[in-house]
Amino acid sequence: MNKQRGTHSTDVLYGINAVKEAIGLRPVDHVLVREGASGNRLQEVLNESRARGIPVRFAPRQALERLAQTAHHQDVVAVCSSRAYEELSTVVGWQSPALLLVLDGVDDPANLGAIVRTSVGAGANGVVIAERRAAGLSPAVARTAAGALEHARIARVKNLVRALEELKEQGLWVYGLEARGEKSYLDLDYKLPCALVMGGEGHGLHRLVREACDQLAGIPLRGQVESLNVSVATGIVLYEALRQRLSP
């Protein structure tokens, strides 16, 4: 849930990891905890909140569910500033050679959260998403990312094709991943600075996005399925990139 308070956008984060990682990295107005809740991980959230002077309030389960708009809040909710996006150039320039994820219309918050978490785990530069027809950085994404969102670099762009052309101008190879790619994802050279373009659920890569890619590749499938979930496919390709980069 996103709320507006004056000109400042706020989020209602929920889940122990999401709340714990946000404390200290985002301004937090207050933390709400279910009455009677306990546990070591929850206590760590309480201790950190109090150490930073963040008000902690206790309320019945129903109050947390109303605020979080879900029953899956793990007994803790935080009202805090919304997660800010970064400029594309900042994400690209964070480390070299760049390894960037570009998402073409991924609209499921659970998939975006899983992709963000995997990108952080694999040490990628960050993730690029489109402003329209795509999931944004919602509390549901933060919950699925399980704290990793606070450590990710996310850029949001108006025009994905234009962003890909900009990445090429900065020296990145643009690899499009789709089920019917011309080659296997294992044949790509990930030691080069590159952007991995992943298609959204159902439609895959849009035509103009596909045409903007330098190379197209797919993940070979042996069983009776046509494609993999985008977050699963992203993990497979990212860790092949990491394997290559760690090889002599």
Side-chain angles (χ1 to χ4, degrees):
M1 177 172 62
N2 294 100
K3 294 184 177 181
Q4 296 292 329
R5 181 179 297 171
T7 59
H8 300 285
S9 178
T10 61
D11 276 347
V12 176
L13 293 185
Y14 53 88
I16 290 176
N17 285 335
V19 172
K20 180 180 178 181
E21 294 300 320
I23 293 172
L25 294 175
R26 300 198 209 183
V28 178
D29 182 77
H30 68 274
V31 172
L32 193 66
V33 178
R34 180 180 66 82
E35 291 175 342
S38 62
N40 293 336
R41 295 172 64 220
L42 182 59
Q43 190 61 48
E44 290 177 3
V45 174
L46 299 182
N47 293 343
E48 187 66 17
S49 299
R50 289 165 174 154
R52 293 181 178 275
I54 298 170
V56 176
R57 305 171 186 171
F58 295 87
R61 179 186 299 276
Q62 294 84 349
L64 274 73
E65 291 180 2
R66 284 196 300 269
L67 187 59
Q69 296 187 349
T70 177
H72 304 294
H73 46 66
Q74 295 183 310
D75 296 329
V76 62
V77 176
V79 177
C80 60
S81 296
S82 296
R83 177 69 162 78
Y85 294 94
E86 300 190 34
E87 295 294 329
L88 179 60
S89 58
T90 302
V91 176
V92 174
W94 174 65
Q95 66 177 359
S96 182
L99 177 60
L100 197 65
L101 280 173
V102 180
L103 306 183
D104 180 15
V106 172
D107 56 18
D108 185 338
N111 280 334
L112 179 56
I115 289 170
V116 167
R117 184 167 181 80
T118 302
S119 74
V120 172
N125 285 55
V127 181
V128 180
I129 60 178
E131 284 188 3
R132 300 179 60 193
R133 294 188 293 273
L137 299 185
S138 66
V141 172
R143 171 71 172 85
T144 306
L149 180 58
E150 308 306 323
H151 305 283
R153 292 166 176 81
I154 314 290
R156 187 165 63 168
V157 298
K158 291 183 178 180
N159 188 305
L160 210 58
V161 174
R162 191 174 302 136
L164 294 178
E165 295 299 334
E166 182 179 335
L167 294 176
K168 290 182 182 180
E169 292 172 1
Q170 296 184 46
L172 276 71
W173 285 82
V174 176
Y175 299 148
L177 281 300
E178 61 177 5
R180 298 175 181 83
E182 301 162 354
K183 55 177 64 179
S184 167
Y185 78 104
L186 296 170
D187 297 327
L188 299 175
D189 186 353
Y190 302 102
K191 290 187 177 181
L192 297 171
C194 58
L196 314 179
V197 189
M198 312 299 297
E201 302 88 352
H203 61 72
L205 297 177
H206 287 100
R207 180 180 61 83
L208 293 178
V209 170
R210 184 185 301 110
E211 292 174 356
C213 295
D214 293 309
Q215 297 187 54
L216 296 172
I219 298 173
L221 299 174
R222 298 292 179 260
Q224 299 302 309
V225 294
E226 295 183 356
S227 63
L228 297 176
N229 173 277
V230 62
S231 65
V232 173
T234 299
I236 291 171
V237 179
L238 265 183
Y239 274 89
E240 169 59 19
L242 182 60
R243 185 197 67 79
Q244 287 190 21
R245 292 186 172 205
L246 293 176
S247 299

